[in-house]
Structures are given as C-alpha cells and as structure tokens.
Amino acid sequence: FGEHIPLVSSGIQLLHELAGNQEALERARKSDPLGRDGILVHSLEYVPVINSIMQTVHQAGEDDESLQRARERDPIGRHGYVTKALEHIPLVSDGIVAIHRHSGDDVAAERARGYSLQKLFGPDGAVTRAAELVPGLNFLPAGFHWMNGDRERASR
C-alpha cells in the first residue's frame, strides 16, 4: 500500500534497494506515482507548459521511452489538443499553417488550412458562398468575382 503514496514510495524503494530485494524494488518503482511510469507523471504530460518541463526531465534522465511518450502527448505540439483548437480560429490558423509548413509537417499544415482565411473567403469559401445567398449582400462577392475575372461566378 505504501508503494502507491508519493514520497513514501521513494523511502520504500530505498529500503528494498538496501535489502537487495530486486523484485520488490521493481514492483515499488512501477507503482510509484512520481516515477517515470507513475500516474502523476502521465497526467502532467497532458498539461501545457508542464509537458515541456517533463520532456526536459525525461531527456536529462536519458529516458527515451518516456521522452517519446511526452512528445506525443504534448498539448502545444504539432498534433496537440491546444494546437488543434487554435487551428479553428481563422487568422490564427494561417499562422499555424505557416509554422507547420516551416517544420515540414504537411499533414498538420493541411489540417490547419481548412480554417484559413483563404479557405473561408476564397471563391469557394464558406463566407463567400453564404454572402452569395443573402439578398443585398450578394453584390459584394459578385464584384470580387468580376474583379478576379471570373465572369461566370459573378453572373451567378
């Protein structure tokens, strides 16, 4: 039971190590909530900014497996939940597309491009299509289509 309590587990691990009981030492390390596979460490890897600290700790401890796990769970990384949420905001999405392209991640760039200003306000964009359907406002997209040389869309 004590092996599951933070800090108490560290003391128990020390006692197992001094006694030379390798089996109990491994069991205590695996159940340590502050250890590399502990529930607290796993939970903290999902928190923005703290994940960066956890990656540094894993890197300093030369724990490649935990470092890779933390990188995959990084909420502000290329596929993180914070990044994906920000990709839904039109001007911010354009910046994120540029960052993804700069880092060479075409999949993430394409995902973010779906909410870019070009996609929303382009000839086939959602905002343009909606404006074409509103009486009185449809002259704006028609004018833009006309200026871009797309006479067929302008006459629609």
Side-chain angles (χ1 to χ4, degrees), residues 78 97-109:
R78 290 186 280 186
V97 168
I99 292 169
H100 287 321
R101 284 195 178 140
H102 179 71
S103 66
D105 192 352
D106 294 332
V107 172

Side-chain angles (χ1 to χ4, degrees), residues 22-121:
Q22 285 300 104
E23 182 181 331
L25 177 62
E26 287 303 314
R27 183 187 67 234
R29 283 184 178 158
K30 286 184 180 180
S31 60
D32 184 5
L34 296 175
R36 64 173 238 165
D37 292 321
I39 186 130
L40 291 175
V41 172
H42 281 259
S43 299
L44 290 174
E45 289 174 353
Y46 287 103
V47 180
V49 181
I50 297 195
N51 178 281
S52 300
I53 296 168
M54 297 306 297
Q55 286 185 37
T56 305
V57 169
H58 293 319
Q59 193 170 19
E62 297 181 5
D63 187 3
D64 294 333
E65 182 182 326
S66 297
L67 177 61
Q68 183 63 30
R69 182 187 65 224
R71 284 183 176 157
E72 290 171 0
R73 293 178 176 175
D74 189 1
I76 55 177
R78 290 186 280 186
H79 302 292
Y81 64 86
V82 173
T83 304
K84 288 179 181 179
L86 290 174
E87 288 173 356
H88 290 275
I89 301 171
L91 195 56
V92 175
S93 176
D94 293 316
I96 293 174
V97 168
I99 292 169
H100 287 321
R101 284 195 178 140
H102 179 71
S103 66
D105 192 352
D106 294 332
V107 172
E110 187 61 30
R111 181 187 66 226
R113 196 178 73 80
Y115 299 99
S116 67
L117 288 176
Q118 177 186 6
K119 195 84 166 178
L120 291 174
F121 291 100

Side-chain angles (χ1 to χ4, degrees), residues 119-132:
K119 195 84 166 178
L120 291 174
F121 291 100
D124 292 320
V127 175
T128 305
R129 293 283 179 138
E132 289 173 352

Side-chain angles (χ1 to χ4, degrees), residues 128 130-145 153-154 156:
T128 305
E132 289 173 352
L133 298 174
V134 177
L137 275 182
N138 60 353
F139 71 90
L140 284 172
F144 289 124
H145 290 315
R153 283 185 195 217
R156 248 188 335 175

